[in-house]
Amino acid sequence: MARKHGLTAFQIAAAYIAVTIGAGFASGQEVLQFFAFFGPDSFSAVILATVLFIFFGAVILQFGHELGARSHLEIIRHAGGPLMGAAMDVVVTFFLFGGLAAMLAGAGATVGQQFGLAPWTGSVAMLTVTLGTVLLGLTGILCSFSFLVPVLILGVVALAAVILFLYPPSPALIQLARQPWAAAVPSWPVSALTYVSYNIVIAVAVLGPLGALAERRRFLTRGAIAGGVGVGVGVLAINLVLLSLPDAAAFPIPMAYAAGVVAPFAQAAYAGVLLAAIYTTAVGDLFGFTSRFAAPGTGRFRLIAAGAGLAALGAGQLGFTVLVRFLYAGVGIAGFLLLGALVYGYFRARLPLVH
């Protein structure tokens, strides 16, 4: 059983948001692919996603608390049983690695687009700080998350407020944005569910151990609510920006284009927000992947973390946009197994007839 810590609801919420708002989110690519292309229906999709984030976050945290989870493995085995648990373990572990590769690719794309440097320099620098943070342990990770997450959310909301003031979207413009055939998944309810699904695949690896460390159960629910709402507010803000500036969809990093419309300095500032978002999710991915195979703080943990980081650096050469569109959508659909198992496990524990 993991030693309990006095984690606050804010720390839990910050960790939840941090592992969710990575390169795809802050760049605008995820929101474009899974929400904005549905035009008016994108708002319904945002509401649905927010509710699902709250529910599944709370379920994972409670399971982690009850099971004393060290990684995602205990939770998915408890929820899905031995056979389905084994299948989901492969999906989760694979996507933690793939998500890390996407974050490193996103860092390279950001540095290349914003500063004119070779993309590999951004990827290598991001891997260096990510690996350094993970090797500091959970305390260092939580400290960085608690500091950066408020900055990230405020940065996204502030940019959205300026864009909406300068270019308020009209009903006709929002309707014109409806292009479901261009979305990663051509149905807004399924798209919202897919978005939640692949993010939960990542989040389970961090929220499970956090649930085990928390002393007070009530903070788990509060953290899940605050985290889910925080993600939802961020998605809504970016969605409104993309609906206001449809030309942004043509760029690999739509939100950087939107910031450039405001002012050159705003674009440079938002590049910092984007890199911070990439960093937080990369840390969650690497920590979750490595803790699946070794206990944090051990020599084996450090060795696996370094090896996984280098391998992800190579995989990231596939390109950021390709990884977001195909890897995320594919794993999100596979992650339906995880969501189904979590729902089954939740009601099984509360309804005696569900066995």
Side-chain angles (χ1 to χ4, degrees):
M1 179 69 70
R3 183 169 61 88
K4 303 296 182 182
H5 292 267
L7 296 179
T8 65
F10 172 75
Q11 288 176 310
I12 295 170
Y16 196 179
I17 296 170
V19 299
T20 304
I21 57 172
F25 172 93
S27 72
Q29 273 292 336
E30 285 182 3
V31 178
L32 175 68
Q33 301 279 355
F34 292 93
F35 296 94
F37 277 138
F38 296 102
D41 291 333
S42 64
F43 300 107
S44 298
V46 171
I47 294 173
L48 176 59
T50 301
V51 172
L52 291 175
F53 271 125
I54 292 171
F55 172 76
F56 286 111
V59 170
I60 292 169
L61 286 164
Q62 292 293 343
F63 281 170
H65 185 83
E66 294 167 2
L67 300 170
R70 195 203 71 180
S71 72
H72 64 265
L73 187 59
E74 294 90 341
I75 294 174
I76 60 178
R77 281 181 175 172
H78 172 76
L83 293 179
M84 185 176 291
M88 289 187 296
D89 178 34
V90 173
V91 171
V92 173
T93 304
F94 169 77
F95 190 54
L96 288 170
F97 176 82
L100 177 61
M103 295 307 102
L104 299 181
T110 302
V111 167
Q113 180 172 320
Q114 300 305 313
F115 305 109
L117 300 175
W120 68 265
T121 60
S123 299
V124 170
M126 183 58 63
L127 174 59
T128 301
V129 295
T130 297
L131 182 59
T133 304
V134 168
L135 296 183
L136 287 175
L138 195 57
T139 301
I141 292 173
L142 289 176
C143 286
S144 65
F145 285 176
S146 297
F147 172 75
L148 286 175
V149 163
V151 176
L152 296 177
I153 295 297
L154 287 175
V156 169
V157 172
L159 176 59
V162 173
I163 292 293
L164 292 176
F165 176 77
L166 296 175
Y167 306 96
S170 65
L173 191 62
I174 294 175
Q175 183 64 40
L176 189 64
R178 188 197 294 271
Q179 304 176 52
W181 57 88
V185 181
S187 166
W188 73 259
V190 180
S191 185
L193 185 60
T194 303
Y195 179 73
V196 173
S197 175
Y198 74 72
N199 276 293
I200 290 297
V201 166
I202 292 177
V204 67
V206 174
L207 293 185
L210 279 186
L213 294 174
E215 287 182 334
R216 302 181 182 181
R217 294 174 66 99
R218 68 177 184 273
F219 287 160
L220 302 179
T221 301
R222 293 176 185 176
I225 293 172
V229 170
V231 174
V233 168
V235 171
L236 177 61
I238 293 176
N239 186 56
L240 287 169
V241 169
L242 297 176
L243 293 177
S244 300
L245 297 173
D247 290 346
F251 291 82
I253 306 178
M255 289 297 286
Y257 167 81
V261 170
V262 175
F265 76 87
Q267 189 173 47
Y270 194 79
V273 171
L274 177 56
L275 288 171
I278 292 171
Y279 160 76
T280 59
T281 298
V283 167
D285 288 337
L286 183 57
F287 176 82
F289 179 87
T290 309
S291 62
R292 166 62 182 83
F293 300 102
T298 63
R300 177 180 171 83
F301 182 91
R302 291 189 288 270
L303 183 62
I304 293 176
L310 291 174
L313 185 65
Q317 301 309 304
L318 288 172
F320 175 58
T321 303
V322 172
L323 287 168
V324 168
R325 182 169 183 84
F326 296 103
L327 174 68
Y328 280 36
V331 175
I333 293 171
F336 289 163
L337 285 173
L338 175 59
L339 299 190
L342 290 172
V343 170
Y344 176 74
Y346 173 81
F347 286 106
R348 182 183 61 193
R350 288 153 180 80
L351 300 177
L353 295 180
V354 182
H355 286 291

